[in-house]
Amino acid sequence: MRLFVLPLRQIFSFRQFQTNSIRRQSIAPIQIPMDATEQSLRHSLSEKSSSVEAQGNAVRALKAARAAKPEIDAAIELLNKLKLEKSAVEKQLQSTITSSGNGSLNREAFRQAVVNTLERRLFYMPSFKIYRGVAGLFDYGPPGCAVKSNVLSFWRQHFIREESMLEVDCPCVTPEVVLKASGHVDKFTDLMVKDEKTGTCFRADHLLKDYCTEKLEKDLTISAEKAAELKDVLAVMEDYSPEELGGKINEYGITAPDTKNPLSDPYPFNLMFQTSIGPSGLTPGYMRPETAQGIFVNFKDLYYYNGRKLPFAAAQIGQAFRNEISPRQGLLRVREFTLAEIEHFVDPENKSHPKFSEVANLEFLMFPREEQMSGQSAKKLCLGEAVSKGTVNNETLGYFIGRVYLFLTRLGIDKERLRFRQHLANEMAHYAADCWDAEIESSYGWIECVGIADRSAYDLRAHSEKSGVALVAEEKYAEPKEVEKLVITPVKKELGLAFKGSQKNVVEALEAMNEQEAMEMKATLESKGEVEFEVCTLGKNVIIKKNMVSISKEKKKEHQRVFTPSVIEPSFGIGRIIYCLYEHCFSTRPSKAGDEQLNVFRFPPLVAPIKCTVFPLVQNQQFEEATKVISKELTSAGISHKIDITGTSIGKRYARTDELGVPFAITVDSDTSVTIRERDSKDQVRVTLKEAASVVSSVAEGKKTWQDVWANFPHHSSSAADEDE
């Protein structure tokens, strides 16, 4: 949950309060160094353009002065030569921009091929299409539903079952008071601008990003200095205030995309869908923007269910809703989507993890904030070393980073196009200990698909303060301990005079302070006599004076320690992961005749929408009976499959199922034996009729690999008829 402007670098974000939504920090702009080759070519192009312009002026001057024809011809020849040199530099620059990842032509062509295939084969389609659809809403078709179901099934196995998590299922409709406490009501906003004549709304940061990106990719005439400036804007725009964002829009002369009308100043727009609960309309509510709040408000019951022991984790899969200003980028930015979130509750004084050694030796691309600030690229790091050096804050956070890496790569995400990026200081909420995003590279760039954050104790404290119910855990001591106890005593008379009806909110906020906050307040009050204090439930800061609160420490004997647990939270955008999976698994290969390119989704069997197809070679009763026997056995084994008895050739049927990502095909060409074809290699083995279902089942469930099958069964040479795709 990122409350305020959703960052452009990652396109979408999950649970993290932006610093500028609660406490803006003063930071230096991030300088993104331009590629040396690009910089040199831009300088060269600028010089060539100046030379062409100067020589053009010289030709015009010679003609005006009626100079001799040979002299004019020589000047024209030099002008043409300079134009050719300029054109060559332009081509080099365009090639450099494209190959460095800033160009969009190849990416757009690839993306269009993927999207066309997905929509044509009904993986997904626009919702309410016969009524022209609604932006940001999509329906999953049969194969899309199957892929999503398989991803969620593996998520449950990988996290909930293997980590013994407590799964909950909470309502989508959430009372306003809950989201007021969490900060969503006041802070869950994006900056919006309006077309001043038509009233059409746009995401302000999207317009600025599109302008900068288009200039960098398509305007080869801009100087190296201007290109560096635009790249800097792209890097820091997520931290812009409304005034700063509006200033850039005005500076660059950005107007409404279609009408070119002037735009309003940016202003915040709350992204939650508002509703009312009950017929009276007196209980305001919202469609939840995330699933996590249901876990937080149930912490007390879950803690008791778990035997009052920490650590433990609760998880939830469900729909979330965000009223995006201008949804785009297909499944990546939608108004209703599936989240899978984990809240791992841990003692803030002990964030070690007993299973960390299982992931400590993993190496993968990591992008710490220091490398980002210095303009370096992500590099492979050992997770254990990253934790021991403090790059990753603690073992529990590191453990979940490792588990997320394993989850995504086992789904089929390319490990070379997966990185874990640490949040910069300006992205971090003031209470967060550390945050990392699992970003997957796609045709849209690097997309944040999972957020893994150490949110400290913020969420439970906020709900404790607002509800008046202590969301705490206990640690019993073997022997009583003499401890120094923090005592906060609000002076209610003075607070009542100062804050009147808000007195209760201020008192609760003062009593909820942790030791560090309280002692800092005490020191400030003693030195200055007053201090500015944030009251979350009021959504504002107030002035506390010395006579309003007493803060001290007393020595007491205690039999237990009562504390608010910290939360480590991995939050998964399932739709985003699935879309990136589609791109990573998509490829084309030439047909047998070589006259067309055939689409293939190389899904791992784990997530493939259909695990196997069964083809009778020809339509006759004997083969169809054998097909039914295999189908029955596959069904008993829980293997999704499809029978294709159309009259087309086997090769064309293979091509159809390859496009759906089906990993295996059984061809029934005898009543005693069949062939099994593997999609990616197109290799085939021959097995008996009775063995067919068990062989496919063993590979589909991960008990064996195709290499195991290939090594243990006779190979079958495909004929031209088999592979005439």
Side-chain angles (χ1 to χ4, degrees):
M1 172 190 70
R2 188 167 276 157
L3 306 184
F4 200 70
V5 181
L6 297 178
L8 289 160
R9 188 184 296 107
Q10 301 90 283
I11 302 181
F12 180 69
S13 296
F14 304 103
R15 299 185 32 72
Q16 176 218 354
F17 282 98
Q18 287 268 44
T19 316
N20 53 5
S21 71
I22 294 184
R23 185 179 298 170
R24 287 187 64 83
Q25 298 176 354
S26 176
I27 61 164
I30 305 164
Q31 297 297 318
I32 305 299
M34 187 183 298
D35 178 81
T37 305
E38 181 185 342
Q39 188 174 27
S40 173
L41 288 170
R42 286 195 184 276
H43 280 303
S44 177
L45 183 59
S46 178
E47 292 170 0
K48 295 294 182 187
S49 297
S50 298
S51 298
V52 167
E53 185 178 359
Q55 188 62 23
N57 291 336
V59 169
R60 284 188 286 274
L62 288 171
K63 288 181 177 179
R66 299 183 182 278
K69 187 176 184 301
E71 189 177 358
I72 293 175
D73 289 345
I76 291 173
E77 184 179 352
L78 178 57
L79 176 61
N80 289 334
K81 180 183 177 183
L82 290 171
K83 285 182 176 179
L84 286 172
E85 290 175 358
K86 177 189 172 188
S87 176
V89 175
E90 284 177 339
K91 288 178 180 177
Q92 279 184 279
L93 178 57
Q94 187 66 66
S95 175
T96 300
I97 292 172
T98 302
S99 63
S100 67
N102 294 328
S104 61
L105 296 178
N106 293 338
R107 294 199 310 265
E108 287 178 2
F110 171 77
R111 182 192 311 140
Q112 199 57 53
V114 175
V115 170
N116 287 346
T117 306
L118 290 170
E119 292 193 2
R120 180 167 48 81
R121 298 311 302 263
L122 285 190
F123 279 84
Y124 74 90
M125 70 286 286
S127 299
F128 318 112
K129 188 163 63 173
I130 64 172
Y131 292 101
R132 295 185 172 181
V134 178
L137 296 176
F138 293 93
D139 296 336
Y140 285 84
C145 282
V147 170
K148 182 179 178 182
S149 175
N150 292 337
V151 168
L152 292 177
S153 177
F154 181 55
W155 191 89
R156 278 195 169 92
Q157 175 62 38
H158 188 79
F159 290 106
I160 294 178
R161 296 192 186 101
E162 291 188 24
E163 304 295 337
S164 299
M165 295 179 179
L166 310 180
E167 186 173 6
V168 299
D169 187 0
C170 305
C172 293
V173 178
T174 306
E176 182 183 55
V177 64
V178 174
L179 296 168
K180 186 76 174 174
S182 68
H184 286 80
V185 172
D186 298 319
K187 305 287 191 332
F188 195 65
T189 58
D190 276 340
L191 290 176
M192 183 169 76
V193 291
K194 277 188 178 181
D195 182 317
E196 291 192 338
K197 292 185 178 178
T198 67
T200 306
C201 299
F202 306 95
R203 270 275 297 268
D205 52 0
H206 280 177
L207 295 181
L208 181 57
K209 181 190 177 186
D210 290 346
Y211 171 86
C212 294
T213 303
E214 186 171 355
K215 275 285 184 184
L216 286 168
E217 292 181 352
K218 298 181 180 178
D219 188 351
L220 302 182
T221 65
I222 60 174
S223 67
E225 292 74 21
K226 187 66 175 179
E229 175 195 324
L230 294 175
K231 289 188 176 184
D232 287 342
V233 170
L234 287 171
V236 302
M237 70 168 65
E238 67 189 58
D239 196 47
Y240 281 162
S241 67
E243 294 74 23
E244 290 167 331
L245 191 55
K248 283 295 179 186
I249 288 173
N250 290 331
E251 178 186 341
Y252 295 146
I254 298 172
T255 56
D258 298 325
T259 64
K260 307 304 177 188
N261 291 331
L263 297 166
S264 69
D265 291 332
Y267 62 95
F269 170 77
N270 194 290
L271 297 175
M272 292 193 293
F273 286 97
Q274 190 166 14
T275 186
S276 58
I277 302 170
S280 68
L282 299 178
T283 306
Y286 296 89
M287 302 301 290
R288 65 184 179 189
E290 61 180 23
T291 66
Q293 297 308 317
I295 297 175
F296 293 136
V297 300
N298 283 309
F299 169 79
K300 186 175 181 179
D301 290 332
L302 293 170
Y303 177 58
Y304 277 84
Y305 180 87
N306 199 55
R308 299 168 72 177
K309 293 178 182 177
L310 284 182
F312 77 89
Q316 181 169 195
I317 297 171
Q319 296 302 98
F321 306 82
R322 299 182 185 181
N323 194 13
E324 294 285 353
I325 296 167
S326 49
R328 56 185 188 175
Q329 298 170 330
L331 296 179
L332 297 181
R333 186 175 292 282
V334 293
R335 288 176 165 140
E336 180 180 350
F337 49 94
T338 303
L339 286 180
E341 296 190 294
I342 297 166
E343 309 302 329
H344 182 89
F345 299 101
V346 63
D347 187 336
E349 295 182 5
N350 180 14
K351 293 182 181 178
S352 62
H353 198 286
K355 294 167 66 178
F356 180 69
S357 60
E358 296 180 11
V359 299
N361 293 327
L362 290 174
E363 286 191 10
F364 45 80
L365 287 173
M366 299 187 77
F367 204 7
R369 63 173 65 96
E370 290 75 16
E371 276 73 5
Q372 296 173 60
M373 295 295 288
S374 59
Q376 299 179 52
S377 301
K379 58 185 178 183
K380 287 191 176 180
L381 297 176
C382 173
L383 182 57
E385 289 181 16
V387 171
S388 63
K389 291 178 180 178
T391 305
V392 175
N393 185 269
N394 58 76
E395 279 191 2
T396 298
L397 184 64
Y399 178 73
F400 279 106
I401 289 173
R403 292 291 290 167
V404 169
Y405 170 80
L406 293 173
F407 170 74
L408 293 174
T409 52
R410 287 172 184 171
L411 282 182
I413 296 299
D414 181 355
K415 63 183 179 182
E416 300 302 324
R417 289 189 281 167
L418 167 64
R419 72 183 185 189
F420 288 80
R421 188 188 70 83
Q422 188 176 31
H423 287 192
L424 300 174
N426 63 305
E427 297 176 89
M428 292 271 285
H430 67 279
Y431 51 78
D434 196 8
C435 302
W436 292 75
D437 293 335
E439 296 182 340
I440 303 174
E441 189 178 24
S442 76
S443 62
Y444 290 104
W446 287 97
I447 308 300
E448 180 198 344
C449 293
V450 187
I452 310 127
D454 182 339
R455 297 178 53 78
S456 300
Y458 175 83
D459 302 281
L460 293 182
R461 282 196 181 126
H463 285 297
S464 293
E465 182 182 326
K466 184 69 173 176
S467 67
V469 176
L471 302 177
V472 295
E474 302 163 354
E475 179 193 8
K476 293 190 183 298
Y477 299 139
E479 297 289 336
K481 289 186 179 180
E482 187 172 79
V483 297
E484 226 179 14
K485 190 74 174 175
L486 176 68
V487 179
I488 301 172
T489 309
V491 182
K492 294 184 179 179
K493 179 181 176 183
E494 298 297 334
L495 292 168
L497 290 171
F499 302 110
K500 298 181 173 55
S502 301
Q503 179 210 41
K504 183 181 177 184
N505 302 73
V506 179
V507 168
E508 290 173 347
L510 288 169
E511 291 176 338
M513 285 191 296
N514 61 33
E515 184 172 330
Q516 182 181 345
E517 292 170 329
M519 297 316 292
E520 287 176 359
M521 176 179 282
K522 178 180 173 67
T524 305
L525 288 173
E526 288 176 352
S527 63
K528 297 182 179 179
E530 64 180 37
V531 64
E532 190 173 356
F533 178 60
E534 181 185 13
V535 181
C536 290
T537 53
L538 294 178
K540 65 179 182 180
N541 291 351
V542 299
I543 300 298
I544 301 295
K545 296 185 177 179
K546 192 173 182 179
N547 64 342
M548 295 179 179
V549 64
S550 168
I551 301 172
S552 61
K553 285 188 175 181
E554 296 178 2
K555 288 188 176 180
K556 292 183 177 181
K557 279 194 174 182
E558 288 194 342
H559 296 271
Q560 64 179 16
R561 178 171 71 99
V562 179
F563 60 93
T564 305
S566 287
V567 176
I568 311 292
E569 180 194 67
S571 178
F572 299 73
I574 298 301
R576 289 187 155 220
I577 292 170
I578 289 172
Y579 178 77
C580 291
L581 180 66
Y582 288 152
E583 284 205 3
H584 284 207
C585 291
F586 183 80
S587 64
T588 60
R589 59 188 176 199
S591 64
K592 190 79 172 179
D595 56 349
E596 62 176 322
Q597 290 293 314
L598 304 174
N599 300 323
V600 182
F601 278 112
R602 300 177 184 269
F603 297 125
L606 178 71
V607 296
I610 301 170
K611 310 300 184 193
C612 177
T613 48
V614 187
F615 305 143
L617 182 62
V618 293
Q619 292 182 346
N620 68 41
Q621 188 175 353
Q622 192 177 29
F623 288 176
E624 288 179 11
E625 286 300 319
T627 298
K628 290 177 182 178
V629 170
I630 294 172
S631 175
K632 187 175 180 180
E633 291 178 354
L634 288 170
T635 301
S636 298
I639 302 299
S640 60
H641 63 283
K642 181 179 180 181
I643 296 175
D644 188 344
I645 57 172
T646 56
T648 55
S649 69
I650 287 294
K652 285 186 169 58
R653 283 184 269 180
Y654 283 155
R656 269 204 305 260
T657 57
D658 288 350
E659 196 173 53
L660 277 174
V662 182
F664 305 108
I666 298 173
T667 303
V668 181
D669 55 2
S670 158
D671 58 358
T672 58
S673 68
V674 297
T675 64
I676 301 177
R677 172 193 184 262
E678 195 270 336
R679 176 198 60 219
D680 298 340
S681 64
K682 299 198 285 187
D683 289 336
Q684 298 183 38
V685 296
R686 182 164 289 280
V687 303
T688 66
L689 190 66
K690 292 182 178 180
E691 292 172 317
S694 62
V695 170
V696 170
S697 175
S698 64
V699 183
E701 293 175 352
K703 296 174 183 176
K704 291 182 180 179
T705 65
W706 178 252
Q707 287 71 27
D708 296 330
V709 173
W710 184 252
N712 288 292
F713 290 93
H715 302 172
H716 175 75
S717 298
S718 60
S719 66
D722 289 340
E723 295 291 344
D724 68 350
E725 301 128 281

